[in-house]
Short mmCIF file of all heavy atoms in Angstrom, two decimals:
data_model
loop_
_atom_site.label_atom_id
_atom_site.label_comp_id
_atom_site.label_asym_id
_atom_site.label_seq_id
_atom_site.Cartn_x
_atom_site.Cartn_y
_atom_site.Cartn_z
N MET A 1 -178.23 83.49 -52.46
CA MET A 1 -179.30 83.23 -53.41
C MET A 1 -178.66 82.92 -54.76
O MET A 1 -177.73 83.65 -55.16
CB MET A 1 -180.28 84.47 -53.55
CG MET A 1 -181.30 84.26 -54.59
SD MET A 1 -182.28 85.75 -54.73
CE MET A 1 -183.81 85.12 -54.18
N PRO A 2 -179.09 81.93 -55.44
CA PRO A 2 -178.43 81.53 -56.71
C PRO A 2 -178.68 82.50 -57.88
O PRO A 2 -177.97 82.43 -58.91
CB PRO A 2 -178.88 80.15 -56.95
CG PRO A 2 -180.15 79.99 -56.19
CD PRO A 2 -180.07 80.97 -54.99
N ILE A 3 -179.66 83.40 -57.77
CA ILE A 3 -179.91 84.35 -58.85
C ILE A 3 -179.34 85.70 -58.35
O ILE A 3 -179.75 86.27 -57.32
CB ILE A 3 -181.37 84.50 -59.13
CG1 ILE A 3 -182.02 83.14 -59.61
CG2 ILE A 3 -181.63 85.55 -60.23
CD1 ILE A 3 -181.48 82.66 -60.92
N ALA A 4 -178.40 86.20 -59.08
CA ALA A 4 -177.82 87.51 -58.75
C ALA A 4 -178.43 88.58 -59.70
O ALA A 4 -178.71 88.29 -60.87
CB ALA A 4 -176.28 87.50 -59.07
N VAL A 5 -178.68 89.76 -59.17
CA VAL A 5 -179.29 90.89 -59.96
C VAL A 5 -178.27 91.93 -60.18
O VAL A 5 -177.63 92.42 -59.25
CB VAL A 5 -180.51 91.43 -59.09
CG1 VAL A 5 -181.15 92.57 -59.89
CG2 VAL A 5 -181.45 90.33 -58.72
N ASP A 6 -178.09 92.29 -61.43
CA ASP A 6 -177.08 93.23 -61.79
C ASP A 6 -177.60 94.55 -62.35
O ASP A 6 -177.13 95.17 -63.27
CB ASP A 6 -176.16 92.64 -62.93
CG ASP A 6 -175.31 91.49 -62.36
OD1 ASP A 6 -174.95 91.55 -61.23
OD2 ASP A 6 -175.01 90.56 -63.15
N ILE A 7 -178.74 94.98 -61.73
CA ILE A 7 -179.35 96.21 -62.13
C ILE A 7 -178.39 97.44 -61.95
O ILE A 7 -178.28 98.33 -62.75
CB ILE A 7 -180.67 96.51 -61.44
CG1 ILE A 7 -181.73 95.48 -61.88
CG2 ILE A 7 -181.20 97.98 -61.63
CD1 ILE A 7 -183.02 95.53 -61.22
N ASP A 8 -177.63 97.38 -60.84
CA ASP A 8 -176.62 98.41 -60.58
C ASP A 8 -175.57 98.64 -61.70
O ASP A 8 -175.23 99.72 -62.04
CB ASP A 8 -175.89 98.15 -59.27
CG ASP A 8 -176.67 98.50 -58.05
OD1 ASP A 8 -177.59 99.26 -58.11
OD2 ASP A 8 -176.34 97.98 -56.98
N VAL A 9 -175.19 97.47 -62.28
CA VAL A 9 -174.21 97.51 -63.38
C VAL A 9 -174.82 98.27 -64.58
O VAL A 9 -174.15 99.14 -65.15
CB VAL A 9 -173.83 96.07 -63.78
CG1 VAL A 9 -172.95 96.07 -65.05
CG2 VAL A 9 -173.10 95.42 -62.68
N MET A 10 -176.11 97.95 -64.87
CA MET A 10 -176.70 98.58 -66.04
C MET A 10 -176.99 100.07 -65.79
O MET A 10 -176.90 100.90 -66.68
CB MET A 10 -177.95 97.80 -66.44
CG MET A 10 -177.75 96.41 -67.04
SD MET A 10 -176.49 96.42 -68.37
CE MET A 10 -177.39 97.41 -69.54
N LEU A 11 -177.40 100.32 -64.47
CA LEU A 11 -177.61 101.76 -64.12
C LEU A 11 -176.32 102.59 -64.34
O LEU A 11 -176.34 103.65 -64.88
CB LEU A 11 -178.04 101.88 -62.68
CG LEU A 11 -179.54 101.52 -62.45
CD1 LEU A 11 -179.81 101.52 -60.90
CD2 LEU A 11 -180.41 102.58 -63.11
N ALA A 12 -175.23 102.03 -63.98
CA ALA A 12 -173.94 102.68 -64.07
C ALA A 12 -173.54 102.88 -65.57
O ALA A 12 -173.19 103.95 -65.95
CB ALA A 12 -172.85 101.88 -63.35
N LYS A 13 -173.80 101.87 -66.36
CA LYS A 13 -173.48 101.93 -67.83
C LYS A 13 -174.34 102.95 -68.52
O LYS A 13 -173.90 103.62 -69.42
CB LYS A 13 -173.70 100.57 -68.40
CG LYS A 13 -172.63 99.57 -68.17
CD LYS A 13 -172.87 98.26 -68.90
CE LYS A 13 -171.80 97.24 -68.59
NZ LYS A 13 -172.02 95.99 -69.32
N ARG A 14 -175.58 103.07 -68.04
CA ARG A 14 -176.53 104.08 -68.66
C ARG A 14 -176.48 105.43 -67.99
O ARG A 14 -177.27 106.31 -68.38
CB ARG A 14 -177.92 103.49 -68.63
CG ARG A 14 -178.16 102.18 -69.30
CD ARG A 14 -177.82 102.21 -70.83
NE ARG A 14 -178.15 100.95 -71.48
CZ ARG A 14 -177.26 100.12 -71.92
NH1 ARG A 14 -175.96 100.38 -71.76
NH2 ARG A 14 -177.65 98.99 -72.50
N LYS A 15 -175.67 105.50 -66.88
CA LYS A 15 -175.57 106.80 -66.14
C LYS A 15 -177.01 107.25 -65.73
O LYS A 15 -177.34 108.42 -65.97
CB LYS A 15 -174.85 107.84 -67.01
CG LYS A 15 -173.38 107.50 -67.20
CD LYS A 15 -172.67 108.54 -67.95
CE LYS A 15 -171.19 108.21 -67.98
NZ LYS A 15 -170.64 107.82 -69.24
N MET A 16 -177.74 106.35 -65.07
CA MET A 16 -179.04 106.60 -64.72
C MET A 16 -179.25 106.33 -63.22
O MET A 16 -178.60 105.47 -62.69
CB MET A 16 -180.07 105.64 -65.46
CG MET A 16 -181.54 105.93 -65.31
SD MET A 16 -182.54 104.74 -66.24
CE MET A 16 -182.05 105.07 -67.93
N SER A 17 -180.07 107.15 -62.58
CA SER A 17 -180.32 107.05 -61.19
C SER A 17 -181.41 105.98 -60.88
O SER A 17 -182.20 105.67 -61.85
CB SER A 17 -180.68 108.33 -60.52
OG SER A 17 -182.06 108.71 -60.89
N VAL A 18 -181.46 105.50 -59.73
CA VAL A 18 -182.47 104.52 -59.31
C VAL A 18 -183.82 105.20 -59.42
O VAL A 18 -184.77 104.59 -59.92
CB VAL A 18 -182.21 103.99 -57.89
CG1 VAL A 18 -183.38 103.17 -57.40
CG2 VAL A 18 -180.94 103.18 -57.82
N GLY A 19 -183.91 106.49 -58.97
CA GLY A 19 -185.20 107.14 -59.07
C GLY A 19 -185.63 107.32 -60.44
O GLY A 19 -186.90 107.19 -60.73
N GLU A 20 -184.80 107.66 -61.35
CA GLU A 20 -185.14 107.90 -62.81
C GLU A 20 -185.66 106.47 -63.37
O GLU A 20 -186.71 106.49 -64.06
CB GLU A 20 -184.00 108.41 -63.56
CG GLU A 20 -184.38 108.61 -65.07
CD GLU A 20 -183.19 109.05 -65.90
OE1 GLU A 20 -182.16 109.41 -65.33
OE2 GLU A 20 -183.37 109.11 -67.11
N LEU A 21 -184.91 105.47 -63.11
CA LEU A 21 -185.28 104.10 -63.59
C LEU A 21 -186.65 103.75 -63.08
O LEU A 21 -187.51 103.26 -63.85
CB LEU A 21 -184.29 103.05 -63.24
CG LEU A 21 -184.56 101.64 -63.72
CD1 LEU A 21 -184.67 101.59 -65.23
CD2 LEU A 21 -183.53 100.69 -63.20
N ALA A 22 -186.87 103.92 -61.81
CA ALA A 22 -188.15 103.57 -61.15
C ALA A 22 -189.30 104.37 -61.78
O ALA A 22 -190.34 103.76 -62.20
CB ALA A 22 -188.15 103.81 -59.67
N GLU A 23 -189.08 105.59 -62.04
CA GLU A 23 -190.17 106.44 -62.68
C GLU A 23 -190.44 105.94 -64.12
O GLU A 23 -191.56 105.78 -64.49
CB GLU A 23 -189.69 107.90 -62.61
CG GLU A 23 -190.74 108.82 -63.19
CD GLU A 23 -190.32 110.24 -63.16
OE1 GLU A 23 -189.59 110.67 -62.17
OE2 GLU A 23 -190.74 111.09 -64.02
N ARG A 24 -189.39 105.74 -64.81
CA ARG A 24 -189.56 105.35 -66.24
C ARG A 24 -190.19 103.95 -66.39
O ARG A 24 -190.96 103.67 -67.33
CB ARG A 24 -188.22 105.47 -67.04
CG ARG A 24 -187.79 106.93 -67.14
CD ARG A 24 -186.52 107.08 -67.83
NE ARG A 24 -186.52 106.55 -69.22
CZ ARG A 24 -185.51 106.48 -69.99
NH1 ARG A 24 -184.30 106.87 -69.56
NH2 ARG A 24 -185.60 106.04 -71.19
N VAL A 25 -189.86 103.01 -65.48
CA VAL A 25 -190.40 101.67 -65.50
C VAL A 25 -191.90 101.67 -64.93
O VAL A 25 -192.65 100.84 -65.36
CB VAL A 25 -189.47 100.73 -64.68
CG1 VAL A 25 -190.17 99.37 -64.47
CG2 VAL A 25 -188.18 100.51 -65.46
N GLY A 26 -192.19 102.57 -64.01
CA GLY A 26 -193.47 102.58 -63.37
C GLY A 26 -193.58 101.79 -62.15
O GLY A 26 -194.67 101.24 -61.83
N ILE A 27 -192.46 101.76 -61.39
CA ILE A 27 -192.62 101.06 -60.06
C ILE A 27 -192.03 102.06 -58.99
O ILE A 27 -191.37 103.02 -59.41
CB ILE A 27 -191.83 99.75 -60.03
CG1 ILE A 27 -190.32 99.85 -60.30
CG2 ILE A 27 -192.46 98.74 -61.04
CD1 ILE A 27 -189.53 98.59 -60.18
N THR A 28 -192.28 101.76 -57.77
CA THR A 28 -191.80 102.63 -56.74
C THR A 28 -190.27 102.44 -56.57
O THR A 28 -189.76 101.32 -56.75
CB THR A 28 -192.45 102.36 -55.39
OG1 THR A 28 -192.10 101.06 -54.90
CG2 THR A 28 -194.02 102.51 -55.50
N PRO A 29 -189.55 103.44 -56.14
CA PRO A 29 -188.16 103.33 -55.80
C PRO A 29 -187.94 102.19 -54.75
O PRO A 29 -186.90 101.48 -54.86
CB PRO A 29 -187.70 104.71 -55.30
CG PRO A 29 -188.65 105.67 -55.95
CD PRO A 29 -189.98 104.89 -55.99
N ALA A 30 -188.84 102.13 -53.77
CA ALA A 30 -188.67 101.05 -52.80
C ALA A 30 -188.74 99.65 -53.36
O ALA A 30 -187.97 98.78 -53.00
CB ALA A 30 -189.75 101.24 -51.70
N ASN A 31 -189.69 99.43 -54.28
CA ASN A 31 -189.82 98.14 -54.92
C ASN A 31 -188.66 97.85 -55.86
O ASN A 31 -188.13 96.75 -55.93
CB ASN A 31 -191.12 98.00 -55.71
CG ASN A 31 -192.34 97.72 -54.83
OD1 ASN A 31 -192.15 97.34 -53.70
ND2 ASN A 31 -193.51 98.06 -55.37
N LEU A 32 -188.09 98.90 -56.49
CA LEU A 32 -186.94 98.73 -57.34
C LEU A 32 -185.71 98.31 -56.45
O LEU A 32 -184.86 97.51 -56.77
CB LEU A 32 -186.64 100.00 -58.18
CG LEU A 32 -185.38 99.87 -59.07
CD1 LEU A 32 -185.50 98.66 -60.01
CD2 LEU A 32 -185.19 101.20 -59.85
N ALA A 33 -185.63 98.96 -55.28
CA ALA A 33 -184.49 98.66 -54.32
C ALA A 33 -184.52 97.25 -53.89
O ALA A 33 -183.55 96.56 -53.79
CB ALA A 33 -184.62 99.65 -53.14
N VAL A 34 -185.80 96.73 -53.60
CA VAL A 34 -185.95 95.34 -53.19
C VAL A 34 -185.41 94.40 -54.29
O VAL A 34 -184.68 93.45 -54.00
CB VAL A 34 -187.40 95.04 -52.85
CG1 VAL A 34 -187.62 93.56 -52.73
CG2 VAL A 34 -187.80 95.76 -51.54
N LEU A 35 -185.81 94.70 -55.53
CA LEU A 35 -185.32 93.88 -56.67
C LEU A 35 -183.82 94.09 -56.87
O LEU A 35 -183.09 93.07 -56.97
CB LEU A 35 -186.06 94.31 -57.87
CG LEU A 35 -185.68 93.54 -59.23
CD1 LEU A 35 -185.94 92.13 -59.06
CD2 LEU A 35 -186.47 94.16 -60.40
N LYS A 36 -183.34 95.27 -56.91
CA LYS A 36 -181.94 95.57 -57.12
C LYS A 36 -181.03 94.96 -56.08
O LYS A 36 -179.93 94.51 -56.45
CB LYS A 36 -181.83 97.08 -57.09
CG LYS A 36 -180.46 97.66 -57.26
CD LYS A 36 -180.51 99.17 -57.42
CE LYS A 36 -180.46 99.86 -56.13
NZ LYS A 36 -179.23 99.79 -55.43
N ASN A 37 -181.46 94.85 -54.80
CA ASN A 37 -180.60 94.37 -53.76
C ASN A 37 -180.77 92.84 -53.56
O ASN A 37 -180.22 92.30 -52.64
CB ASN A 37 -180.93 95.08 -52.49
CG ASN A 37 -180.53 96.52 -52.50
OD1 ASN A 37 -179.52 96.84 -53.12
ND2 ASN A 37 -181.37 97.42 -51.92
N GLY A 38 -181.48 92.17 -54.51
CA GLY A 38 -181.60 90.75 -54.46
C GLY A 38 -182.54 90.20 -53.37
O GLY A 38 -182.47 89.03 -53.04
N ARG A 39 -183.39 91.06 -52.85
CA ARG A 39 -184.35 90.60 -51.79
C ARG A 39 -185.67 90.21 -52.35
O ARG A 39 -186.57 89.70 -51.63
CB ARG A 39 -184.49 91.66 -50.73
CG ARG A 39 -183.20 92.02 -50.00
CD ARG A 39 -183.40 92.96 -48.80
NE ARG A 39 -184.30 94.01 -49.09
CZ ARG A 39 -183.88 95.27 -49.40
NH1 ARG A 39 -182.62 95.55 -49.51
NH2 ARG A 39 -184.82 96.20 -49.65
N ALA A 40 -185.90 90.35 -53.59
CA ALA A 40 -187.23 90.08 -54.23
C ALA A 40 -187.34 88.53 -54.29
O ALA A 40 -186.38 87.79 -54.64
CB ALA A 40 -187.42 90.70 -55.60
N LYS A 41 -188.58 88.02 -54.10
CA LYS A 41 -188.87 86.56 -54.23
C LYS A 41 -189.31 86.27 -55.67
O LYS A 41 -189.22 85.12 -56.06
CB LYS A 41 -189.96 86.22 -53.25
CG LYS A 41 -189.61 86.38 -51.78
CD LYS A 41 -188.52 85.47 -51.37
CE LYS A 41 -188.30 85.66 -49.87
NZ LYS A 41 -186.99 85.09 -49.45
N ALA A 42 -189.79 87.29 -56.36
CA ALA A 42 -190.26 87.08 -57.73
C ALA A 42 -190.19 88.38 -58.48
O ALA A 42 -190.12 89.45 -57.83
CB ALA A 42 -191.74 86.56 -57.67
N VAL A 43 -190.23 88.30 -59.79
CA VAL A 43 -190.36 89.54 -60.62
C VAL A 43 -191.28 89.24 -61.78
O VAL A 43 -191.30 88.16 -62.37
CB VAL A 43 -188.90 90.00 -61.13
CG1 VAL A 43 -188.32 88.91 -61.99
CG2 VAL A 43 -189.08 91.22 -61.90
N ARG A 44 -192.23 90.14 -62.02
CA ARG A 44 -193.20 89.98 -63.13
C ARG A 44 -192.49 90.15 -64.47
O ARG A 44 -191.51 90.94 -64.56
CB ARG A 44 -194.26 91.00 -63.05
CG ARG A 44 -195.13 90.86 -61.81
CD ARG A 44 -196.17 92.04 -61.83
NE ARG A 44 -196.92 91.98 -60.57
CZ ARG A 44 -198.17 91.53 -60.51
NH1 ARG A 44 -198.80 91.01 -61.51
NH2 ARG A 44 -198.80 91.56 -59.28
N PHE A 45 -192.85 89.35 -65.46
CA PHE A 45 -192.22 89.44 -66.78
C PHE A 45 -192.47 90.89 -67.28
O PHE A 45 -191.61 91.44 -67.99
CB PHE A 45 -192.75 88.39 -67.70
CG PHE A 45 -192.11 87.03 -67.50
CD1 PHE A 45 -192.86 85.91 -67.80
CD2 PHE A 45 -190.87 86.90 -67.13
CE1 PHE A 45 -192.29 84.61 -67.72
CE2 PHE A 45 -190.26 85.67 -67.02
CZ PHE A 45 -190.97 84.52 -67.27
N SER A 46 -193.61 91.43 -66.99
CA SER A 46 -193.93 92.77 -67.51
C SER A 46 -192.93 93.81 -66.88
O SER A 46 -192.51 94.73 -67.59
CB SER A 46 -195.37 93.21 -67.18
OG SER A 46 -195.65 93.16 -65.79
N THR A 47 -192.57 93.60 -65.66
CA THR A 47 -191.54 94.47 -65.02
C THR A 47 -190.20 94.22 -65.61
O THR A 47 -189.49 95.20 -65.88
CB THR A 47 -191.55 94.29 -63.47
OG1 THR A 47 -192.80 94.46 -62.87
CG2 THR A 47 -190.51 95.16 -62.79
N LEU A 48 -189.80 93.00 -65.80
CA LEU A 48 -188.57 92.74 -66.41
C LEU A 48 -188.45 93.21 -67.84
O LEU A 48 -187.49 93.88 -68.17
CB LEU A 48 -188.33 91.14 -66.42
CG LEU A 48 -187.03 90.67 -66.98
CD1 LEU A 48 -185.82 91.22 -66.22
CD2 LEU A 48 -187.00 89.12 -66.92
N ALA A 49 -189.57 93.14 -68.61
CA ALA A 49 -189.59 93.71 -69.93
C ALA A 49 -189.39 95.21 -69.91
O ALA A 49 -188.72 95.74 -70.76
CB ALA A 49 -190.91 93.26 -70.62
N ALA A 50 -190.14 95.82 -68.96
CA ALA A 50 -190.00 97.35 -68.87
C ALA A 50 -188.56 97.77 -68.50
O ALA A 50 -188.02 98.72 -69.05
CB ALA A 50 -191.03 97.82 -67.82
N LEU A 51 -187.99 97.03 -67.58
CA LEU A 51 -186.53 97.29 -67.15
C LEU A 51 -185.66 97.16 -68.40
O LEU A 51 -184.81 98.02 -68.68
CB LEU A 51 -186.13 96.34 -66.07
CG LEU A 51 -186.69 96.60 -64.72
CD1 LEU A 51 -186.39 95.43 -63.83
CD2 LEU A 51 -186.03 97.86 -64.05
N CYS A 52 -185.84 96.09 -69.17
CA CYS A 52 -185.05 95.86 -70.40
C CYS A 52 -185.24 96.98 -71.45
O CYS A 52 -184.29 97.39 -72.09
CB CYS A 52 -185.34 94.45 -70.98
SG CYS A 52 -184.69 93.15 -69.99
N GLU A 53 -186.48 97.33 -71.58
CA GLU A 53 -186.84 98.41 -72.55
C GLU A 53 -186.12 99.74 -72.21
O GLU A 53 -185.49 100.34 -73.01
CB GLU A 53 -188.34 98.60 -72.64
CG GLU A 53 -188.71 99.61 -73.68
CD GLU A 53 -190.21 99.78 -73.87
OE1 GLU A 53 -190.97 99.10 -73.21
OE2 GLU A 53 -190.64 100.64 -74.68
N VAL A 54 -186.28 100.11 -70.92
CA VAL A 54 -185.72 101.38 -70.46
C VAL A 54 -184.21 101.33 -70.45
O VAL A 54 -183.53 102.32 -70.87
CB VAL A 54 -186.25 101.78 -69.02
CG1 VAL A 54 -185.48 102.93 -68.48
CG2 VAL A 54 -187.75 102.01 -69.10
N LEU A 55 -183.61 100.26 -70.05
CA LEU A 55 -182.22 100.14 -69.99
C LEU A 55 -181.49 99.69 -71.25
O LEU A 55 -180.27 99.57 -71.39
CB LEU A 55 -181.80 99.15 -68.81
CG LEU A 55 -182.05 99.69 -67.45
CD1 LEU A 55 -181.91 98.56 -66.45
CD2 LEU A 55 -181.23 100.90 -67.11
N GLU A 56 -182.36 99.38 -72.29
CA GLU A 56 -181.94 98.89 -73.59
C GLU A 56 -180.92 97.67 -73.43
O GLU A 56 -179.82 97.74 -73.82
CB GLU A 56 -181.30 100.00 -74.42
CG GLU A 56 -182.27 101.21 -74.65
CD GLU A 56 -181.59 102.29 -75.42
OE1 GLU A 56 -180.34 102.37 -75.55
OE2 GLU A 56 -182.29 103.21 -75.79
N CYS A 57 -181.49 96.67 -72.80
CA CYS A 57 -180.61 95.45 -72.52
C CYS A 57 -181.50 94.23 -72.62
O CYS A 57 -182.71 94.27 -72.88
CB CYS A 57 -179.97 95.60 -71.16
SG CYS A 57 -181.14 95.53 -69.78
N GLN A 58 -180.84 93.13 -72.43
CA GLN A 58 -181.52 91.84 -72.45
C GLN A 58 -181.73 91.36 -70.97
O GLN A 58 -180.96 91.74 -70.08
CB GLN A 58 -180.70 90.78 -73.17
CG GLN A 58 -180.51 91.01 -74.71
CD GLN A 58 -181.83 91.00 -75.40
OE1 GLN A 58 -182.58 90.01 -75.15
NE2 GLN A 58 -182.10 91.92 -76.19
N PRO A 59 -182.63 90.47 -70.71
CA PRO A 59 -182.92 89.96 -69.35
C PRO A 59 -181.51 89.42 -68.74
O PRO A 59 -181.31 89.58 -67.53
CB PRO A 59 -183.92 88.85 -69.47
CG PRO A 59 -184.73 89.27 -70.69
CD PRO A 59 -183.73 89.91 -71.61
N GLY A 60 -180.81 88.74 -69.56
CA GLY A 60 -179.47 88.21 -69.07
C GLY A 60 -178.46 89.22 -68.60
O GLY A 60 -177.56 88.90 -67.93
N ASP A 61 -178.67 90.46 -69.02
CA ASP A 61 -177.84 91.56 -68.55
C ASP A 61 -178.21 91.98 -67.13
O ASP A 61 -177.36 92.58 -66.49
CB ASP A 61 -177.92 92.78 -69.43
CG ASP A 61 -177.48 92.49 -70.89
OD1 ASP A 61 -176.51 91.71 -71.07
OD2 ASP A 61 -178.06 93.07 -71.81
N LEU A 62 -179.45 91.66 -66.69
CA LEU A 62 -179.91 92.04 -65.44
C LEU A 62 -179.90 90.92 -64.40
O LEU A 62 -179.76 91.13 -63.22
CB LEU A 62 -181.29 92.55 -65.47
CG LEU A 62 -181.53 93.76 -66.44
CD1 LEU A 62 -183.03 94.08 -66.48
CD2 LEU A 62 -180.75 94.95 -65.96
N LEU A 63 -180.07 89.68 -64.86
CA LEU A 63 -180.12 88.48 -64.01
C LEU A 63 -179.13 87.47 -64.43
O LEU A 63 -178.92 87.23 -65.61
CB LEU A 63 -181.60 87.85 -64.05
CG LEU A 63 -182.69 88.74 -63.77
CD1 LEU A 63 -184.07 88.10 -63.99
CD2 LEU A 63 -182.66 89.26 -62.25
N ARG A 64 -178.48 86.80 -63.42
CA ARG A 64 -177.59 85.74 -63.76
C ARG A 64 -177.65 84.71 -62.59
O ARG A 64 -177.94 85.03 -61.49
CB ARG A 64 -176.18 86.17 -64.00
CG ARG A 64 -175.52 86.79 -62.81
CD ARG A 64 -174.14 87.34 -63.15
NE ARG A 64 -173.82 88.41 -62.25
CZ ARG A 64 -173.32 88.18 -61.03
NH1 ARG A 64 -173.10 86.94 -60.66
NH2 ARG A 64 -173.04 89.24 -60.16
N TRP A 65 -177.40 83.42 -63.00
CA TRP A 65 -177.40 82.35 -62.03
C TRP A 65 -175.94 82.09 -61.61
O TRP A 65 -175.08 82.16 -62.43
CB TRP A 65 -177.94 81.12 -62.70
CG TRP A 65 -178.04 79.92 -61.73
CD1 TRP A 65 -179.01 79.74 -60.85
CD2 TRP A 65 -177.13 78.85 -61.70
NE1 TRP A 65 -178.75 78.56 -60.14
CE2 TRP A 65 -177.63 77.95 -60.67
CE3 TRP A 65 -176.01 78.48 -62.42
CZ2 TRP A 65 -176.86 76.88 -60.38
CZ3 TRP A 65 -175.34 77.34 -62.08
CH2 TRP A 65 -175.84 76.46 -61.09
N GLU A 66 -175.82 81.98 -60.27
CA GLU A 66 -174.44 81.62 -59.79
C GLU A 66 -174.55 80.49 -58.81
O GLU A 66 -175.53 80.35 -58.06
CB GLU A 66 -173.76 82.87 -59.19
CG GLU A 66 -174.53 83.54 -58.11
CD GLU A 66 -173.86 84.85 -57.63
OE1 GLU A 66 -173.18 85.47 -58.42
OE2 GLU A 66 -173.99 85.15 -56.47
N THR A 67 -173.55 79.72 -58.81
CA THR A 67 -173.51 78.58 -57.75
C THR A 67 -173.09 79.19 -56.48
O THR A 67 -172.56 80.28 -56.36
CB THR A 67 -172.55 77.56 -58.26
OG1 THR A 67 -171.21 78.07 -58.35
CG2 THR A 67 -172.89 76.93 -59.61
N ASP A 68 -173.12 78.39 -55.45
CA ASP A 68 -172.77 78.80 -54.12
C ASP A 68 -171.33 79.25 -54.09
O ASP A 68 -170.98 80.18 -53.38
CB ASP A 68 -173.04 77.70 -53.07
CG ASP A 68 -174.49 77.48 -52.78
OD1 ASP A 68 -175.25 78.41 -53.09
OD2 ASP A 68 -174.85 76.37 -52.29
N GLY A 69 -170.49 78.59 -54.82
CA GLY A 69 -169.07 78.95 -54.90
C GLY A 69 -168.81 80.31 -55.57
O GLY A 69 -167.73 80.90 -55.39
N ASP A 70 -169.73 80.77 -56.34
CA ASP A 70 -169.62 82.04 -57.08
C ASP A 70 -169.97 83.20 -56.27
O ASP A 70 -169.75 84.38 -56.56
CB ASP A 70 -170.47 82.04 -58.36
CG ASP A 70 -170.05 81.07 -59.35
OD1 ASP A 70 -168.92 80.64 -59.32
OD2 ASP A 70 -170.88 80.70 -60.25
N ALA A 71 -170.68 83.00 -55.12
CA ALA A 71 -171.18 84.09 -54.29
C ALA A 71 -170.08 84.97 -53.79
O ALA A 71 -169.05 84.50 -53.44
CB ALA A 71 -172.02 83.50 -53.15
N ASP A 72 -170.37 86.28 -53.75
CA ASP A 72 -169.40 87.24 -53.27
C ASP A 72 -169.34 87.14 -51.70
O ASP A 72 -170.29 87.28 -51.03
CB ASP A 72 -169.89 88.68 -53.63
CG ASP A 72 -168.89 89.75 -53.17
OD1 ASP A 72 -167.97 89.46 -52.34
OD2 ASP A 72 -169.07 90.84 -53.63
N PRO A 73 -168.24 86.64 -51.12
CA PRO A 73 -168.14 86.48 -49.68
C PRO A 73 -168.37 87.73 -48.86
O PRO A 73 -168.80 87.58 -47.74
CB PRO A 73 -166.69 85.94 -49.50
CG PRO A 73 -165.99 86.25 -50.75
CD PRO A 73 -166.99 86.45 -51.81
N THR A 74 -168.21 88.91 -49.45
CA THR A 74 -168.49 90.07 -48.65
C THR A 74 -170.01 90.36 -48.47
O THR A 74 -170.38 91.14 -47.64
CB THR A 74 -167.88 91.35 -49.38
OG1 THR A 74 -168.50 91.51 -50.65
CG2 THR A 74 -166.45 91.19 -49.55
N LEU A 75 -170.84 89.64 -49.25
CA LEU A 75 -172.27 89.79 -49.13
C LEU A 75 -172.81 88.73 -48.24
O LEU A 75 -174.06 88.80 -47.91
CB LEU A 75 -172.90 89.72 -50.57
CG LEU A 75 -172.44 90.77 -51.56
CD1 LEU A 75 -173.13 90.54 -52.83
CD2 LEU A 75 -172.82 92.15 -51.05
N LEU A 76 -172.05 87.82 -47.76
CA LEU A 76 -172.59 86.73 -46.90
C LEU A 76 -172.66 87.20 -45.49
O LEU A 76 -172.03 87.98 -45.00
CB LEU A 76 -171.80 85.50 -46.99
CG LEU A 76 -171.77 84.93 -48.46
CD1 LEU A 76 -170.80 83.69 -48.47
CD2 LEU A 76 -173.16 84.51 -48.92
#
């Protein structure tokens, strides 16, 4: 997928668990896992805004575009 999700990176930087983030954002841990693992087909701007507010970051810190050549071969 050309959009990579870096929520794990921000969680590590903030020393926050997935459960805590889900609770503070107001989504289920299962839905956060779908987004975090790059399986989501879409994300609401309100959810993205809440993630950025809780993690004190910008959308670009959570999402990035990569070409096929940039993909991590271990994830294929």
Side-chain angles (χ1 to χ4, degrees):
M1 175 183 245
I3 301 295
V5 182
D6 291 328
I7 292 175
D8 282 339
V9 174
M10 293 307 297
L11 283 171
K13 286 182 179 180
R14 302 296 186 253
K15 296 183 171 109
M16 187 180 298
S17 71
V18 172
E20 180 184 352
L21 179 60
E23 183 178 327
R24 291 179 61 186
V25 169
I27 61 175
T28 66
N31 283 341
L32 181 57
V34 167
L35 178 60
K36 178 173 87 68
N37 295 323
R39 295 188 318 260
K41 299 291 183 200
V43 61
R44 293 176 190 260
F45 281 149
S46 59
T47 302
L48 183 58
L51 286 166
C52 289
E53 182 177 357
V54 171
L55 293 170
E56 298 178 352
C57 66
Q58 294 295 313
D61 296 325
L62 301 177
L63 304 172
R64 64 186 155 79
W65 182 79
E66 55 184 33
T67 62
D68 290 336
D70 294 338
D72 183 348
T74 62
L75 299 177
L76 299 177

